[in-house]
Amino acid sequence: MIRYRVRETVEFAALTELVRAAWGGQEDGSSWPGILARSLTWVCAYEGPTLIGFVNVAWDGGRHAFLLDTTVHPDHQRRGIGVRLVEEAAASARAGGAHWLHVDFEPHLAGFYARCGFGPTAAGLLRLG
């Protein structure tokens, strides 16, 4: 059984391992405390005691929230966990006062975010680094 926890304490080491498993790279976990301290909300998915999914919602302090880091462990993908994470995040953002939830994604994720209820929109991106 998968349990979803909204804005509860998360072990940063477990979150770092999840991100490494899903995205690769050398994430060291040092940025998570600062990121979550400024977030509107986040949602974690657990199977037993194991963190298997995560999504973060950043915001502007007003009406606009931004979905970031939607992550499901590769061993648990394609089971609806990601969609449920996004649904829980959207409900929590709405309850927190957000009126809009934005998400940026790569083209191969368009179907996933459409299943989550996101519609297409024109947007711009300026690479700063």
Side-chain angles (χ1 to χ4, degrees):
M1 181 168 103
I2 309 299
R3 291 176 293 112
Y4 297 86
R5 295 184 179 168
V6 178
R7 204 173 161 78
E8 289 188 12
T9 301
V10 59
E11 292 182 25
F12 298 125
L15 183 52
T16 299
E17 288 304 312
L18 172 64
V19 170
R20 282 183 187 162
W23 302 104
Q26 299 299 314
E27 169 72 39
D28 70 2
S30 63
S31 61
W32 289 116
I35 289 170
L36 295 185
R38 294 183 301 273
S39 295
L40 174 59
T41 192
W42 58 90
V43 183
C44 296
Y46 292 89
E47 185 169 65
T50 305
L51 179 66
I52 62 167
F54 172 80
V55 67
N56 183 35
V57 179
W59 69 319
D60 67 355
R63 294 178 172 218
H64 295 268
F66 307 87
L67 194 69
L68 300 169
D69 304 319
T70 307
T71 306
V72 176
H73 192 283
D75 294 343
H76 299 275
Q77 292 177 357
R78 309 242 184 264
R79 293 174 37 196
I81 296 166
V83 172
R84 177 74 183 275
L85 283 166
V86 172
E87 290 170 347
E88 295 284 338
S92 183
R94 185 179 302 108
H99 292 235
W100 298 97
L101 185 59
H102 304 260
V103 66
D104 293 324
F105 52 83
E106 295 179 8
H108 72 278
L109 295 172
F112 168 77
Y113 284 106
R115 284 190 302 281
C116 293
F118 287 89
T121 182
L125 176 67
L126 174 65
R127 184 173 297 273
L128 298 176

